[in-house]
């Protein structure tokens, strides 16, 4: 469904470069960006592309809600990683956040995000497709770079794709690690890089990492992404291939990723 964008849009920004790229592209498209920063690692860069940047913890629901209303925000995007382990630690969780957590039947990714969407709708804020200003970062079908997969690696990638889709169906995670058509690790609360570390250690050498979107991926949040940090983790633990879902996965710093993959004999492919 096509929507008409407001001239002023809110951004709830997690870790990494994706929120910065999003804010920069939105500004280039004439959008005034008001950012709620949930991470210190990119706040300085976000200030370059945002009209205002507010620094809150992910559990400060009331302050976030009040700020969005004070700024007159009616449309909002979520982008960037916010580690769901925070739910266990509950830092700076206000009374409203704690009450919402108590009401939740489950706290998997989609359940938490849909709960957030519901709360925002109550104050007249619509959550929009997070990829709207970063469509060019989606990975096309094929092999990126000069390192080609073997037949065995392609078979592992295809098997991993099937496993990852099955995991996504029940919203466990997006990443699996495969070797010789066996599952070495599946991603849970620890995140992609820790999943790669666990699986690649078991595989010893030559693991295939597969990352896919969920079968019913909601483009408002948690679209799969990877970048140079993922490949550096793979190199450290001697994983050989990363296979992602074509046209449904975001790649950050594509040129640097390809350069690094070529230099370290890592296959990067989209299927």
């Amino acid at each position: 469904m096509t929507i008409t964008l407001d001239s002023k849009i809110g951004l709830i920004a997690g870790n990494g470069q994706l929120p910065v790229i999003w804010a920069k592209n939105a500004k280039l498209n004439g959008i005034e960006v008001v950012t709620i920063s949930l991470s210190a690692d990119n706040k300085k860069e976000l200030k370059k592309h945002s009209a205002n940047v507010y620094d809150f913890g992910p559990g400060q629901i009331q302050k976030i809600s009040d700020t969005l209303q004070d700024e007159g925000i009616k449309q909002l995007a979520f982008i960037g990683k916010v580690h769901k382990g925070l739910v266990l630690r509950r830092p700076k969780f206000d009374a409203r956040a704690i009450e919402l957590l108590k009401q939740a039947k489950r706290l998997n990714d989609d359940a938490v995000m849909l709960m957030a969407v519901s709360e925002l709708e109550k104050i007249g804020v619509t959550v929009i497709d997070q990829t709207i200003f970063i469509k060019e970062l989606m990975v096309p079908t094929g092999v990126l770079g000069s390192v080609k997969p073997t037949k065995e690696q392609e078979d592992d990638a295809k098997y991993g794709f099937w496993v990852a889709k099955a995991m996504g169906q029940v919203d466990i995670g997006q990443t699996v690690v495969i070797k010789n058509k066996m599952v070495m690790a599946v991603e849970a609360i620890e995140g992609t890089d820790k999943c790669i570390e666990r699986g690649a250690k078991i595989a010893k050498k030559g693991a295939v990492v597969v990352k896919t979107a969920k079968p019913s991926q909601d483009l408002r949040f948690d679209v799969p992404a990877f970048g140079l940090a993922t490949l550096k983790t793979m190199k450290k633990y001697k994983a050989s291939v990363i296979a992602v879902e074509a046209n449904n996965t975001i790649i950050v710093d594509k040129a640097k990723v390809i350069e690094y993959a070529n230099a370290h004999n890592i296959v990067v492919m989209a299927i």
Side-chain angles (χ1 to χ4, degrees):
M1 181 178 67
T2 303
I3 64 167
T4 301
L5 294 176
D6 293 343
S7 59
K8 184 178 184 181
I9 297 177
L11 170 63
I12 294 190
N15 296 334
Q17 280 300 299
L18 276 181
V20 177
I21 297 168
W22 193 99
K24 180 180 179 180
N25 289 350
K27 185 178 180 181
L28 289 172
N29 277 274
I31 303 295
E32 181 182 348
V33 179
V34 174
T35 298
I36 306 291
S37 173
L38 304 182
S39 172
D41 80 333
N42 53 16
K43 188 166 62 175
K44 184 176 179 181
E45 289 181 84
L46 282 166
K47 287 181 177 179
K48 299 175 185 177
H49 311 294
S50 306
N52 287 309
V53 176
Y54 297 90
D55 185 14
F56 295 128
Q60 294 181 283
I61 304 298
Q62 192 61 57
K63 285 185 176 181
I64 291 171
S65 176
D66 290 344
T67 300
L68 293 173
Q69 290 181 88
D70 291 344
E71 284 278 2
I73 298 298
K74 298 297 181 184
Q75 293 177 333
L76 175 78
F78 286 93
I79 196 157
K81 188 69 175 177
V82 178
H83 199 284
K84 55 191 173 187
L86 287 168
V87 175
L88 299 175
R89 297 193 296 274
R90 299 190 177 190
K92 296 183 180 178
F93 272 37
D94 62 21
R96 188 172 172 190
I98 291 169
E99 184 59 33
L100 286 171
L101 290 174
K102 286 180 179 178
Q103 293 172 14
K105 292 182 179 179
R106 57 179 65 90
L107 290 173
N108 53 299
D109 284 347
D110 281 1
V112 170
M113 294 308 301
L114 289 170
M115 190 165 55
V117 168
S118 177
E119 287 301 298
L120 288 164
E121 287 174 345
K122 291 176 184 176
I123 61 169
V125 178
T126 299
V127 178
I128 63 173
D129 175 354
Q130 68 175 199
T131 71
I132 199 161
F133 292 118
I134 53 173
K135 297 288 188 186
E136 75 280 4
L137 301 185
M138 291 294 192
V139 186
T141 303
V143 176
L144 282 65
S146 59
V147 187
K148 308 300 181 186
T150 65
K151 175 65 166 58
E152 290 76 15
Q153 289 171 335
E154 287 183 349
D155 288 344
D156 277 353
K158 289 174 184 176
Y159 174 57
F161 192 96
W162 176 80
V163 174
K165 282 293 184 183
M167 280 174 44
Q169 187 71 50
V170 290
D171 196 19
I172 294 173
Q174 298 174 323
T175 305
V176 297
V177 181
I178 306 292
K179 187 176 180 183
N180 297 336
K181 299 178 184 176
M182 293 183 287
V183 178
M184 303 288 109
V186 298
E187 179 188 8
I189 198 169
E190 81 279 32
T192 299
D193 287 355
K194 289 293 185 181
C195 173
I196 293 170
E197 178 182 342
R198 283 193 296 110
K201 279 182 176 179
I202 294 169
K204 303 295 184 185
K205 186 178 181 182
V208 174
V209 178
V210 183
K211 191 177 186 78
T212 72
K214 296 164 190 172
S216 54
Q217 181 70 51
D218 191 325
L219 293 177
R220 294 175 297 179
F221 41 83
D222 208 24
V223 174
F226 77 106
L228 199 54
T230 300
L231 264 69
K232 287 181 176 179
T233 301
M234 291 175 61
K235 177 184 177 292
K236 182 176 180 180
Y237 298 103
K238 300 179 181 178
S240 298
V241 179
I242 180 164
V244 300
E245 183 172 356
N247 304 310
N248 259 329
T249 307
I250 296 165
I251 182 169
V252 184
D253 289 330
K254 181 178 177 181
K256 290 181 180 179
V257 166
I258 293 172
E259 181 182 7
Y260 188 90
N262 290 345
H264 298 286
N265 201 38
I266 295 172
V267 177
V268 180
M269 59 187 293
I271 55 179

